[in-house]
Amino acid sequence: MEVFLQTLVAGILKGGLYGLIGIGMTLIMGVMGIINLAHGQLMMVGMYITFVCFHYLGIDPYFALLVSMPALFLLGVAIQKYTLNPLIEVESILPENQVLMTVGIGMVLTEVARFIFSSDYKSVQTSYSSSSFFIGEISFSLALTIAFFIAVAFTLFMFWFLLRTDLGRSIRATAQDKDAALLMGVNAQRITILTFGIGSALVAAAGTLLMPIYYLFPDIGGPFTRKAFVITILGGLGSTVGAIFGGLTLGLAEAFGATYIGMAFDDMIGLVIFILVLIFLPSGFKRITKV
Amino acid sequence: MLEVKEIDVFYGDLQVLWDVTFEVRRREIVVLIGANGAGKSTTIRTISSLLNPRRGTILFQGERLDLLPPHGIIERGVVHVPEGRRLFSEMSVEENLVMGSLYGEAKTKRRDTLRHVYELFPRLLERRKQMAGTLSGGEQQMLAIGRGLMSLPHLMMFDEPSLGLAPILVQEIFGMIRRINGEGVTILLVEQNVHQTLAMCDRAYALENGRIVLSGTGEELSANEHVREAYLGI
């Protein structure tokens, strides 16, 4: 029972961060209709920024959020504005090829990181990296718990933003019917740029929050892109609430898989759930949550 | 108020409008009639800048609309209520209405306009929290019109507002358009429901194969031999 609860806690804490990764991807999916296959690589860039901030400037990872998020926002804006949007305007290039472009961007980011930082593993060792506290018999990793609550705060803020502000509504409107949004005066191109920026900033936040407990190397982006993809599909493409459920599901699946099946299998568990969802619940959790 | 001058419009290499010229004067109800594929929707979509004319100009109160991006049109007071309503189906009724008032005066007066729209369409007030996608066809059309009104338009363009509605609802929608016109809004209406629209409009133009072939007052067109044969089946 203790092991079970311990696993549950670990899964939920991790799931909160996964939700944050998934929301960024699902927003981009909703507005542009494409899967951003550079999502994990953007997170990797955010992690390296955190690493540099900590290592060379002595900035605590939680304060590094103030650097990594704006930096990735700008990187996301630049990617959308100068590489993805121009593709839509060229008639001989199918708009779907934006996906291929994101693959290329992911590769470039990875290799640039390798060029600068080499392939060595890096980590950020803070005073609290390995500290934990206990509630009853269950141990909570301090860094992961803080990360979870910051992730939840960002998630709640995103909901407020999407549901209660004109800009947030414009993002949702563009995702639902782009032409109608144009007719209502929404500058759809600006919305796509902004959305990519926000999605990148959110995944950077997740990367920064993971840094105190994770190690970092240039190829870490690929596995996280895969995770983000699974989360987005689990949630039902383009659904924000779904992305949170998707994130939690993946976090729990990985935690239980690691505990009861074996550490080496945690990636496999996620993909098995992914396949099961595709077969039995093709529209993801969106079918259940309706949002 | 609105002057469309000699516009040619293409989809890719395919020309769909030839030398289309017409005007809508302040406070008028003007109707474009024509068969399926005659270019009526294309004309309205071009005024909304969703399409660009290859030749010709579109002037609204003296300003070139054809040089503006799509999102600039509504800010000038021209709103397009599109064919098939095109609501944001996963947003509530009220959120759809709010989406009509994103800029300028419409935004500052949002609350008052919202109250006014709810007065015009009490059904929308009853269902304000409901998702737009779950409304009936008539209610959806009311919401599409309400969303257009939220922008405090000077000119409203309707694309087939009666499409797919029961006759009694068609009456209601046309009544509402007349009422909006009575409040000082100029109307440009695209319709296949020729008989009723000719009866309620000030002037009308007939489009055939992408060209304006006839123009005149509603009565003149109703009496026209060609219109009677081609559109009214008399």
Side-chain angles (χ1 to χ4, degrees):
Chain A
M1 191 60 192
E2 247 165 57
V3 175
F4 178 83
L5 283 178
Q6 184 68 65
T7 312
L8 188 70
V9 164
I12 289 173
L13 293 182
K14 215 170 164 192
L17 278 176
Y18 283 176
L20 198 55
I21 298 173
I23 287 178
M25 189 151 183
T26 213
L27 279 179
I28 295 170
M29 172 72 215
V31 170
M32 261 94 68
I34 61 158
I35 282 281
N36 169 25
L37 290 177
H39 209 60
Q41 282 79 356
L42 288 167
M43 176 172 154
M44 178 269 300
V45 174
M47 291 170 96
Y48 271 109
I49 290 174
T50 312
F51 170 76
V52 169
C53 281
F54 180 79
H55 217 74
Y56 297 101
L57 305 172
I59 301 173
D60 186 89
Y62 297 122
F63 287 105
L65 282 175
L66 299 174
V67 182
S68 67
M69 291 181 74
L72 264 285
F73 177 83
L74 292 179
L75 179 61
V77 162
I79 288 176
Q80 181 69 34
K81 191 167 180 183
Y82 297 112
T83 69
L84 296 177
N85 275 344
L87 286 188
I88 307 177
E89 281 148 32
V90 186
E91 267 178 50
S92 56
I93 302 178
L94 291 174
E96 289 75 13
N97 286 357
Q98 288 179 82
V99 181
L100 297 183
M101 180 58 102
T102 66
V103 174
I105 289 164
M107 286 177 179
V108 169
L109 293 177
T110 305
E111 297 315 318
V112 168
R114 201 190 315 283
F115 184 69
I116 301 174
F117 298 100
S118 83
S119 291
D120 295 343
Y121 282 43
K122 312 273 190 211
S123 64
V124 164
Q125 285 301 326
T126 57
S127 52
Y128 48 82
S129 279
S130 48
S131 55
S132 52
F133 61 93
F134 286 83
I135 295 179
E137 296 288 302
I138 312 296
S139 86
F140 289 76
S141 150
L142 184 60
L144 197 53
T145 310
I146 296 173
F148 175 79
F149 282 108
I150 295 178
V152 169
F154 277 127
T155 307
L156 291 176
F157 173 79
M158 278 313 294
F159 271 96
W160 173 82
F161 171 73
L162 289 171
L163 294 173
R164 292 276 175 267
T165 66
D166 276 3
L167 203 53
R169 285 192 202 101
S170 299
I171 289 179
R172 287 159 60 218
T174 309
Q176 288 174 32
D177 189 330
K178 191 175 158 198
D179 272 4
L182 281 173
L183 292 178
M184 292 303 114
V186 174
N187 182 343
Q189 199 166 16
R190 232 187 68 207
I191 291 290
T192 60
I193 293 170
L194 186 75
T195 306
F196 210 97
I198 293 173
S200 305
L202 289 177
V203 79
T208 299
L209 292 172
L210 271 175
M211 250 343 257
I213 39 175
Y214 230 74
Y215 47 91
L216 170 62
F217 57 101
D219 291 306
I220 200 172
F224 275 97
T225 295
R226 215 150 53 227
K227 282 184 212 268
F229 184 53
V230 171
I231 294 164
T232 311
I233 298 282
L234 285 178
L237 297 169
S239 156
T240 347
V241 178
I244 293 168
F245 281 98
L248 278 177
T249 309
L250 186 66
L252 286 169
E254 285 187 5
F256 279 99
T259 304
Y260 291 102
I261 303 177
M263 279 300 247
F265 293 104
D266 69 342
D267 273 347
M268 190 196 77
I269 311 291
L271 290 172
V272 167
I273 292 200
F274 174 66
I275 291 169
L276 290 179
V277 165
L278 281 186
I279 295 172
F280 295 109
L281 200 66
S283 44
F285 294 129
K286 201 179 176 183
R287 274 266 291 281
I288 302 166
T289 60
K290 305 275 184 209
V291 188
Chain B
M1 188 175 213
L2 177 79
E3 295 166 78
V4 176
K5 289 182 184 165
E6 301 171 351
I7 56 168
D8 287 349
V9 177
F10 291 73
Y11 285 117
D13 290 329
L14 184 69
Q15 187 165 4
V16 284
L17 293 184
W18 280 269
D19 203 25
V20 169
T21 300
F22 65 94
E23 64 165 336
V24 183
R25 300 179 200 133
R26 195 173 299 274
R27 295 200 145 212
E28 272 187 327
I29 299 182
V30 170
V31 181
L32 288 180
I33 59 172
N36 256 336
K40 306 184 302 291
S41 294
T42 304
T43 306
I44 289 205
R45 287 170 64 83
T46 309
I47 297 170
S48 292
S49 245
L50 291 174
L51 297 164
N52 292 315
R54 203 169 282 186
R55 194 176 69 86
T57 55
I58 299 168
L59 292 175
F60 180 70
Q61 298 183 325
E63 191 179 4
R64 293 274 299 266
L65 288 188
D66 54 302
L67 300 178
L68 294 174
H71 58 84
I73 305 295
I74 196 169
E75 292 176 63
R76 303 298 190 285
V78 178
V79 73
H80 174 168
V81 179
E83 184 177 356
R85 352 270 190 232
R86 303 298 286 270
L87 299 171
F88 304 114
S89 56
E90 289 172 32
M91 285 187 176
S92 70
V93 167
E94 188 148 309
E95 282 185 302
N96 267 276
L97 291 174
V98 166
M99 280 303 296
S101 60
L102 292 178
Y103 296 102
E105 204 191 347
K107 184 167 179 164
T108 47
K109 292 190 176 162
R110 184 178 283 171
R111 247 163 223 279
D112 296 333
T113 324
L114 206 52
R115 200 170 309 129
H116 178 61
V117 169
Y118 284 145
E119 271 165 30
L120 285 177
F121 302 107
R123 289 294 284 278
L124 297 183
L125 181 61
E126 285 167 34
R127 300 180 185 272
R128 54 192 278 260
K129 296 280 175 208
Q130 204 171 314
M131 290 291 136
T134 64
L135 299 179
S136 72
E139 290 164 348
Q140 289 196 6
Q141 188 60 55
M142 289 174 197
L143 180 53
I145 295 174
R147 186 176 65 175
L149 283 173
M150 288 297 291
S151 68
L152 301 173
H154 301 300
L155 170 69
M156 271 184 109
M157 304 188 288
F158 295 90
D159 196 351
E160 307 266 7
S162 73
L163 199 72
L165 297 183
I168 182 148
L169 286 170
V170 173
Q171 288 305 326
E172 201 175 319
I173 295 292
F174 283 161
M176 190 53 71
I177 291 173
R178 269 204 299 269
R179 185 166 164 190
I180 292 167
N181 178 245
E183 289 178 3
V185 180
T186 309
I187 307 282
L188 174 60
L189 180 61
V190 153
E191 260 298 339
Q192 295 203 39
N193 202 328
V194 174
H195 191 68
Q196 293 190 37
T197 43
L198 285 183
M200 70 183 258
C201 73
D202 294 307
R203 290 183 308 111
Y205 294 87
L207 261 176
E208 275 176 23
N209 300 318
R211 291 182 173 84
I212 301 270
V213 291
L214 279 171
S215 65
T217 64
E219 295 99 71
E220 281 167 6
L221 259 71
S222 305
N224 181 287
E225 200 65 33
H226 177 71
V227 171
R228 289 167 71 89
E229 232 171 79
Y231 301 106
L232 301 175
I234 305 171

